[in-house]
Each structure stands twice: as C-alpha cells, then as structure tokens.
Amino acid sequence: MGWGDLGVFGEPSKETPNLDQMASEGMLFLDFYTANPLCSPSRAALLTGRLPVRNGFYTTNAHARNAYTPQDIVGGIPDSELLLPELLKKAGYTNKIIGKWHLGHRPQFHPMKHGFDEWFGSPNCHFGPFDNRALPNIPVYRDWEMIGRYYEDFKIDLKTGEANLTQIYLQEALDFISKQQASQQPFFLYWAIDATHAPVYASKRFLGTSQRGLYGDAVREIDDSIGKILKHLQKLGISENTFVFFTSDNGAALISAPKQGGSNGRFLCGKQTTFEGGMREPAIAWWPGHIPAGGVSHQLGNVMDLFTTSLSLAGLQPPSDRQIDGIDLLPAILQGKLIDRPIFYYRGNEMMAVRVGLYKAHYWTWSNSWEEYSKGIDFCPGQNVSGVTTHTQEEHTSLPLLFHLGRDPGEKYPLSFASDEYQRAMEQISVVVRQHKATVVPGEPQLNVCDKAVMNWSPPGCEKLGKCLKQPKSDPKKCIWPH
C-alpha cells in the first residue's frame, strides 16, 4: 500500500473514510518509513526492531539485491533473534498473528515457535502457482496445522478478483479481541492482511465499488475492516487501553499499476526501490484519551520503532545485548516532541541512502536492470529522472546525490555539488553514516539458498486433509535475485 492511497494524504477519490477518521482521532505521521522496500525483510525488521542486514533478512548473492522469502527459500527468522511477541510474553501478553507471516515457512520458523500463541494465516503471500499440483499452493494455518490451501480451499478468483479472505481475517481479529477482553487478558494482535498485494482481491460486496478499480475495491475493504476493528474496541470499552498503529510493509507496487497497484503520491518510484515511493509509508497512531486528536507529526519514524514503542507501552526495556534500531516513539506521539534520528535505506547488503533531517543522500542509485526493463519490468513507470532512476548500479559514495525533501519530495532536483548547502549538509551526514557503519555487524544471510524440496509440499496437518504432495529430492542452489 502506498503513501498516496489514503484520502487523508490527498487521494482524490477519498475512499478511505475510516482510516481518515482514525487519523482525525489520532496522529498522522508524514515521514514514516519501512526498513526495506520489500515485504519479508521489512516484517523481520518490524518484529525484531533491527535492520534486515542485522537480523539476516538479506542476500549476498550479487550486490545490493532485493530478496524476500518465496516458497523455495531455505532460510527464515533465526533463533538468535528476539521477536516482539516473545518479549511481550514476559509482561503477560497473549499474542496472535492474523494473515501473512513471511519470515520462513519451514517448521523451525513457525510463528508459534517465536512468541505467538495463535496464528490464522499463511507463511507466504497468496500468489501462485494457482492450483497447479506440480508446485504446491500456499497453505493456510490455524495455529500449528494447515487447514487448507489458497485457490483450493480458500478461493481467490483470478478473473474477477473475488475472495472472502479479508472478511475471514476481520472476523478472526474481532473474535480474538472479544476473547481477550472477556478474560481481562492483555494482548498483542498483528493483523497482517495482504489484499492489496497482486493478485489483488476483494469480497463480493466491495467488488466494483471503487473509482480506482479492483485495487481500490481492496483498499475500501481494508478501510472498512479497520473501521470495524476500532468500533469493536470502543464497544467493548477498551479503546482507551489499546494502542493501535496502521502502516504498510513497503510502498505501492507500480509494476502492477494501475489495475493491481496503488499510489505513492508525489514520491519517486515504488516498491523494490530505495527512493521515497518505495519506503515512505502511510502511518497513523490511535489511542483515544491519550493521543491528542488531529495530531500531525513530522517525526522521522520507522516500522522498527513499533518494536521499541510496544515494549515501552508494556513497561519493558528493549534487549541490551544487541543493536536495536527502533526508537521509542511515545514522546513524539504523546508530547509532540521531535527526536533527532536518521533513516537508513538498505537494499540487500548495501546502504543505498540515508536521510538526516530534511536531507537525503544517495550513495548508490538503481531502479532495475536494463535486462528487466527491456522485458517491461519497470519500478518507476513514467518517472525517469536523468542520473537518478538508473538501470545500472551507480555508485555515488565519493559525491552522494543530495536532495532536500522539503522542497523536493519527488527527488527530481539534486543539489549542486559546489553549493554551500551541499557542503554543510554532507559534513553532517558523513558523520552519521560513519558512526552507523561502525555498528553494523551483518547477520547470517537467510535469503541466499533456494531448494524446491523445502516448498510447502507437506505442511503439518496435510495428512488429515489429504493435501500432502510428493516432495522432490533436495537440490539446494544459490537463489537468483534479478533486482
């Protein structure tokens, strides 16, 4: 989902009334980022409070490659990482994940081995192979065992886009909240829906209702569901004791736009890139009675901050035996303070850019390769900025490209290398980068090895359903990441 997909951020059709109201009742973050321009590394960052290069969710197969966790990936979240739900257990929290996990699908990576008490959802996204028994469809789990597969038991119609999954995920959320409230149990709910990820889907009631086509239908259903969750908290009388945060894992995927992709507003490019469109996210904090209504914050925020902020809300300290990149946002949210901190933009094993204040310096630029671009794969359609949206990896480490994001949020006008402004800003940024790089001890890369034998052939519970598929012989290979 993109920064420009919400009415409150200026989307012309104004089809997100519930999220817009959430913002009017809470606090809107204008400068909030993800930790990676791709799904699984950013989710690993959210749950560990650490950059993907530290927690292992990156690849060293070729330089600066984006990588995620497809079905044939061998790696996943390492046991050495401490996840938010594991830590919240110490304060008596019950933890549930609904939707997409995406931190590894082999048994040792199961979310209930990493602090979650309940799970309803899938280890991967709902893309292919679309009911092809030569390769397994993605399983859907209830807790420890699968209860079916996408396209077979959980239908998604690729022609019409009809699927009831968001409604199922909504009901799971409402039931979980009711159960915890009835038992007076503190809870953490990670509601990780994926309807706006291509192939986009929505339930029948929402199909054809948006001016924006199928993608807009999906956004409207997500918006409606969030409205129902917030109203449910109010009806149960626990809204003033519940902190809710809405954001996205990466910018809108422009490769599938306009039918299957969203809007990143004025920002450059989209998902897969370290330009603003790939990593600046819509973000809203809601906590009636605590967060002043109608707040707008320019605090530089990151999904990793949700780790540290959640621990703070639970009266816990972050682990002291490792580098934590997330900061506690409560002073910014509750008191309107601005905390000085940089934002780092990584792609694979490379720091591509950094933001300090209103300045963003690109040390490397790359949108995607000429080879892919010639096949029609374009992460910046209609947005060619000469010398910026490059189709080869361009190094700028000696003279970084510098933008002032206040005057130029679209990253179209690099500052002159000879200007006093450039010199002053880069002096400050260089110190920040040097200090950061001195702290980076890369984790063991989890996204280097692929093997068809580890796909979801026979997940736990498949025997009961008659849904086990024959596993091929193990043949591990180096994963190929073209971008």
Side-chain angles (χ1 to χ4, degrees):
M1 213 173 180
W3 195 93
D5 278 329
L6 306 190
V8 73
F9 283 128
E11 207 292 314
S13 62
K14 296 284 190 287
E15 292 178 345
T16 54
N18 295 289
L19 285 163
D20 297 348
Q21 186 176 339
M22 182 184 180
S24 72
E25 294 172 0
M27 177 170 278
L28 190 67
F29 281 83
L30 301 181
D31 299 81
F32 195 86
Y33 291 85
T34 185
N36 190 271
L38 218 58
C39 37
S40 45
S42 65
R43 289 160 191 267
L46 163 71
L47 291 174
T48 63
R50 285 153 56 78
L51 284 163
V53 73
R54 299 193 209 274
N55 64 37
F57 264 71
Y58 71 103
T59 182
T60 53
N61 294 359
H63 175 249
R65 301 287 160 156
N66 281 326
Y68 65 109
T69 51
Q71 277 206 68
D72 57 349
I73 205 82
V74 169
I77 195 70
D79 281 340
S80 56
E81 291 297 319
L82 287 170
L83 273 61
L84 178 58
E86 292 177 76
L87 297 166
L88 289 175
K89 270 184 182 294
K90 294 176 183 175
Y93 280 71
T94 297
N95 310 302
K96 179 161 185 165
I97 172 173
I98 296 172
K100 175 175 160 184
W101 167 239
H102 223 192
L103 301 191
H105 54 267
R106 296 168 70 204
Q108 64 266 41
F109 306 128
H110 193 291
M112 290 173 68
K113 286 195 172 176
H114 293 272
F116 284 102
D117 301 291
E118 298 180 26
W119 182 25
F120 183 89
S122 61
N124 307 75
C125 203
H126 60 279
F127 44 66
F130 317 128
D131 205 17
N132 175 357
R133 292 182 73 83
L135 291 172
N137 276 317
I138 307 293
V140 175
Y141 279 77
R142 179 170 295 287
D143 298 336
W144 289 108
E145 295 188 343
M146 71 174 282
I147 53 173
R149 294 185 189 269
Y150 286 138
Y151 300 96
E152 299 166 31
D153 313 277
F154 293 86
K155 302 289 185 189
I156 302 170
D157 189 319
L158 286 173
K159 285 185 183 163
T160 64
E162 184 180 349
N164 209 34
L165 289 169
T166 302
Q167 292 304 308
I168 296 170
Y169 292 148
L170 169 62
Q171 196 56 52
E172 285 287 325
L174 300 177
D175 291 348
F176 175 73
I177 292 167
S178 295
K179 187 172 142 195
Q180 305 319 309
Q181 189 270 341
S183 61
Q184 299 293 293
Q185 178 66 33
F187 65 87
F188 166 54
L189 171 60
Y190 176 31
W191 198 62
I193 37 71
D194 64 359
T196 46
H197 188 300
V200 172
Y201 63 80
S203 61
K204 194 167 188 177
R205 184 161 74 86
F206 290 90
L207 286 180
T209 64
S210 167
Q211 293 180 38
R212 305 177 66 196
L214 180 56
Y215 181 86
D217 297 341
V219 170
R220 289 199 67 228
E221 184 165 18
I222 289 171
D223 175 78
D224 181 77
S225 299
I226 289 163
K228 287 188 167 73
I229 290 170
L230 299 183
K231 284 187 182 74
H232 193 57
L233 292 168
Q234 290 169 323
K235 183 179 148 195
L236 294 176
I238 57 172
S239 60
E240 294 198 1
N241 203 27
T242 310
F243 178 81
V244 184
F245 201 94
F246 170 84
T247 191
S248 175
D249 59 350
N250 46 246
L254 300 185
I255 185 175
S256 51
K259 289 187 177 177
Q260 300 267 314
S263 164
N264 297 312
R266 290 184 65 190
F267 302 123
L268 186 62
C269 300
K271 179 178 176 176
Q272 299 269 13
T273 77
T274 49
F275 300 111
E276 292 295 286
M279 291 183 62
R280 201 188 295 205
E281 307 305 328
I284 304 167
W286 186 87
W287 188 13
H290 299 270
I291 298 174
V296 176
S297 178
H298 283 282
Q299 172 64 47
L300 295 190
N302 195 291
V303 292
M304 297 179 290
D305 302 340
L306 300 178
F307 174 89
T308 311
T309 305
S310 298
L311 292 178
S312 179
L313 285 161
L316 299 171
Q317 292 294 319
S320 57
D321 64 342
R322 62 200 64 207
Q323 183 78 34
I324 300 294
D325 297 292
I327 65 169
D328 182 0
L329 289 176
L330 289 183
I333 293 170
L334 301 179
Q335 296 148 30
K337 290 185 178 173
L338 284 179
I339 304 155
D340 187 27
R341 66 89 68 87
I343 296 290
F344 298 102
Y345 304 69
Y346 270 84
R347 187 164 172 158
N349 53 353
E350 183 62 70
M351 191 203 80
M352 304 286 285
V354 61
R355 177 174 173 181
V356 175
L358 285 168
Y359 292 100
K360 180 178 179 183
H362 289 268
Y363 287 77
W364 288 84
T365 52
W366 190 37
S367 46
N368 63 314
S369 67
W370 281 115
E371 184 188 359
E372 286 206 301
Y373 185 68
S374 66
K375 293 176 188 168
I377 296 169
D378 189 357
F379 302 134
C380 312
Q383 290 186 304
N384 178 39
V385 181
S386 181
V388 178
T389 53
T390 53
H391 292 291
T392 53
Q393 291 182 22
E394 297 293 334
E395 185 173 2
H396 309 280
T397 51
S398 55
L399 272 179
L401 295 181
L402 186 65
F403 297 90
H404 186 288
L405 293 177
R407 302 192 298 261
D408 177 25
E411 298 170 280
K412 292 182 174 66
Y413 309 103
L415 296 181
S416 164
F417 298 136
S419 67
D420 288 343
E421 184 181 9
Y422 182 93
Q423 301 299 331
R424 282 196 308 272
M426 283 313 304
E427 275 176 27
Q428 186 188 359
I429 291 168
S430 298
V431 172
V432 170
V433 169
R434 198 160 53 246
Q435 289 172 344
H436 168 67
K437 290 202 166 178
T439 75
V440 176
V441 179
E444 185 71 30
Q446 296 296 308
L447 309 180
N448 278 356
V449 182
C450 289
D451 186 351
K452 275 193 177 173
V454 306
M455 294 176 85
N456 293 289
W457 302 99
S458 299
C462 68
E463 303 90 349
K464 296 177 193 172
L465 302 172
K467 293 238 168 233
C468 302
L469 299 173
K470 191 178 175 189
Q471 179 181 329
K473 227 184 257 184
S474 179
D475 182 21
K477 290 189 169 89
K478 193 174 174 180
C479 302
I480 295 167
W481 304 107
H483 38 261

